[in-house]
Amino acid sequence: MGVHGLTTYLRENQRTLSTTLNLPSSFSSDPLPIVVDGWSFIYDVYRNSNLPWVYGGEYLEFSHLVVLVVNAWIKVGLKIYFVFDGPTPELKFSTVVSRLGQSHVQPSLLFFRTSPASRGTARFLNETRIIPPLVYTACINALKNLQNSTDVVELHFADEEGDPYAVELAGKIGAYVVGNDSDFVVLNAEGYLGYIPLEEMMWYAPISQEVPSHEEDDSGFQEVRKSKSKRRPVADTNVGRGIIPPEGDGSTLSLLVYKPDLLAAHLNIPVTLLPVLGALVGNDFSTQSESNRRNVQSLFFDRQLSLSQRITRVASTIQTILSPSTQKRKNLKHQLGSVMDLIDRAVNALLARLNTALGSGEIDSIVERIVEATLQYAIPKHEDGHISAHLQSPQVCALHPHDTCPLLPLISRRVEAEVLDDEDEAQNETLQHALNIRTKYVAAYRDGRLAPKLLDILSSGTFWPRIFLENPDVETVSRSIGRPIREWIYSILDNAVGLPEVFDEENEDEPNKTEPEEDEEDLDELIDVVESDNETELAEDDLLAPLKGELHRLHNSSDDGPSPFLASTYSPFPSKPPIVTEYLRRGTRVTQEAVEVKSIHTLFELASLPSYSGSVPVASFSLEKRIIILLRALDSDVAPVRSLLKEQFIPVLAVRWVVRTLNLRAEETKSKEREKERWTKHEAACFLATFNPPSESSLTLASQETSTPILDRSAQLTAQILQSLESIEHLSQALLLPDIIPSIAHRFSGRTFHKLLVSTAFDPKMVSSDLVGAFTFGLEHAFSEDRLARKSKKAKKGAKHPVQNAILKSARGSGFDLLADVAE
């Protein structure tokens, strides 16, 4: 992630570019603030945990490690602000697709194409590692529990891309940024203290001087050692590089800090031009795909150049362009006056090595791509001109005023539509409902109760299902299991706040026809020219601010009219039904599929719900009605399910949904392959048993300590149930129900699930019989015959007592009453 090769460059020049920070510090008793990139933290903790990924995730153990690491940071004197990414920028789509193919689809393909003996080795599993799909949910749950118990942990969810948000937050509170992304040494803001790589963390535990006593053994002999060995200290073997702290108290933490100004000075370029360097060398935005990387970055550099040498080459090019001798040349058409000129000249200079000249259109396309990639590093300056340690209200935006927060436009389409439709805003009841639901969604997102993936739907009309280990020869579970649930999510969000519109072809250009035409002089004025006699003045200006304004003008933005945040979200011209583009696995690659959003009226009718009146958003319905909608959407509005405890709700709904869906697929086609997909009651019971307390599961499996086999069917069952869990959790969030129906993904153990599936010692007593009806009611015909019973019949041994139906053990007390829980 970040600028290509910059992490390597920093390591090669570590002594020159870095400073060391040791904690706890003896110079200050106040907590030292750090801003942590949330996803870098998740990846690094799981990578260093040595937890198995292939079974679907060990989320309880992962959650314990998250708490362990954060508490260790707190002990050495850190105050921690976690920042998680918001919706994915459209400019990054191609990069994300490429990464999904490389890090998720290809490892899954390799796994299923490899023999069971080979794919079970530690080396193979380490080289094909896929991050388990529910780690984000488990991490957020663990961090929120910590946040509720201490005042030195805060969670922030970015408006858009998380990196600029993290640096802007760090600048505002005077903090470092911790992560594994070299963009953090390119981004800069007033008050920002620098970038700390997670991979460079070094823990030190106190050295023990104690020498173990030498006692006599049963035979009367005593171990004799030389006197020198008694004086040799015994070092703690847990000390070393990495995020996981050693055992025991008194550990110290050593951090390496990289600062943008030191990097710029080392490269001999102005610090404000580091974003230009990053875009030219190649980052997540300037390299849009593998083909584009070959067509752009390979055009700039010889193949013989290493990544570090490419950085030096770009820095040298920028130095040459900025040098006074270059500015005084008479053959220049015009003097360097803006960063737009700089990018144009840098692109042409880097392309000069080619024997074949590119056309002007191709060069302009490259320049525009570099400009767009540079703008991703733009961070607005504080209006008051100084650092303010006080953040805004976190319910809306901790960094920006409400009228400039980039998040607000994404959920204001219905509000803007009502404002334009009704002049008397105070008397517009529908407008008040739209404002109310917008406030609830913003608060839910800022509090971590609305997944960033749902913001992708509102931001760009896209959805990116998590891809995990699944059979590449069958339909992806993201489509077969997840899409029917997501159709409800899309409709609920469109009904509540509105999705991006799809214009009719004949009306696509209509908005531009109302704008006054610009004369040629205005069109030629592509940049705000900054008068300067030398490169020093150019370097001191905020170069990205005018660049951003000019790129907007290139895309026909208007400076007049309604608020730019709301005008872009609503158009009075008729549009087609909203469309959400899903990025799914198809075979061995990631492709996009368009899904037309159904009206909420249609879904209500299909689910046998009362007709929708249209005056109140579905997400604003009463609690009882929203729970009924959730159950009807999942075809589980039955008495045994309604009586569940809230901790059992989502697991039971998840397994019911998978069983129901696979049964319908088998009945539709009558094919043997679809028939084999259906779950057995034993498999459903095994899944639900994984949510029992670990002690109960371990008692059953205590006699089977051998390694757990990785079977194709077990892996596919895991992929199906994980997709169901995540989709139902998202539906609950869209209906604003997370507080009532909480996720318990952090309690799922994939390894336990796989063990139970193959265990011959599975005890039906692990789960209580009074909840059997919750996952079998109405679905008795949907289960496949148990495979163990089928084998027994074939062997003519018979089975007097087949495997019993099983489910989660219920808690002692009365049945589950959601509304009663809320009342309490």
Side-chain angles (χ1 to χ4, degrees), residues 764-782:
K765 293 181 180 179
M766 291 177 63
V767 292
S768 60
S769 59
D770 62 327
L771 291 177
V772 170
F775 82 97
T776 58
F777 188 90
L779 296 175
E780 293 83 357
H781 65 287

Side-chain angles (χ1 to χ4, degrees), residues 88-199:
T88 305
E90 294 187 36
L91 191 61
K92 201 174 180 179
F93 282 3
S94 295
T95 300
V96 175
V97 169
S98 177
R99 284 180 179 170
L100 285 174
Q102 295 174 4
S103 61
H104 291 71
V105 177
Q106 292 303 319
S108 182
L109 175 66
L110 184 60
F111 177 88
F112 280 93
R113 296 291 185 266
T114 304
S115 66
S118 299
R119 71 190 187 191
T121 62
R123 178 178 180 181
F124 179 90
L125 293 177
N126 184 57
E127 293 177 349
T128 58
R129 182 185 301 270
I130 304 174
I131 191 76
L134 302 183
V135 288
Y136 174 83
T137 302
C139 182
I140 295 299
N141 178 78
L143 293 178
K144 289 189 69 174
N145 290 336
L146 282 170
Q147 186 180 24
N148 294 333
S149 62
T150 179
D151 59 353
V152 292
V153 174
E154 290 188 15
L155 271 66
H156 293 261
F157 299 86
D159 308 317
E160 298 173 306
E161 180 79 1
D163 295 356
Y165 188 98
V167 173
E168 186 175 359
L169 175 62
K172 199 149 191 175
I173 62 177
Y176 300 92
V177 170
V178 178
N180 279 331
D181 193 328
S182 59
D183 280 338
F184 290 127
V185 78
V186 174
L187 289 157
N188 201 7
E190 183 181 0
Y192 174 43
L193 298 183
Y195 162 52
I196 299 174
L198 278 170
E199 296 177 343

Side-chain angles (χ1 to χ4, degrees), residues 411 414-415 418 428-441 491-498 600-601 604 612-623 625-626 629 734-736:
I411 52 178
R414 293 297 181 207
V415 172
E418 296 300 330
N428 189 345
E429 183 179 356
T430 306
L431 174 61
Q432 298 306 315
H433 285 306
L435 290 169
N436 180 54
I437 197 63
R438 181 180 73 172
T439 301
K440 290 181 178 180
Y441 273 121
S491 296
I492 291 170
L493 292 178
D494 184 45
N495 168 260
V497 296
I600 200 69
H601 303 81
F604 268 43
Y612 175 64
S613 63
S615 59
V616 180
V618 171
S620 291
F621 282 9
S622 67
L623 175 60
K625 289 182 178 179
R626 281 180 283 145
I629 291 172
L735 287 167
L736 299 177

Side-chain angles (χ1 to χ4, degrees), residues 624-655:
E624 182 179 7
K625 289 182 178 179
R626 281 180 283 145
I627 293 174
I628 292 175
I629 291 172
L630 176 71
L631 296 177
R632 291 287 180 88
L634 300 173
D635 197 18
S636 292
D637 187 16
V638 294
V641 173
R642 289 195 298 268
S643 65
L644 289 172
L645 295 169
K646 62 181 181 180
E647 291 81 7
Q648 301 165 332
F649 216 65
I650 288 185
V652 172
L653 288 176
V655 76

Side-chain angles (χ1 to χ4, degrees), residues 327 335-337 529-538 541:
Q327 297 296 311
Q335 296 298 310
L336 183 66
V529 177
V530 179
E531 297 291 341
S532 61
D533 295 329
N534 55 62
E535 68 276 11
T536 303
E537 294 182 13
L538 181 66
D541 289 319

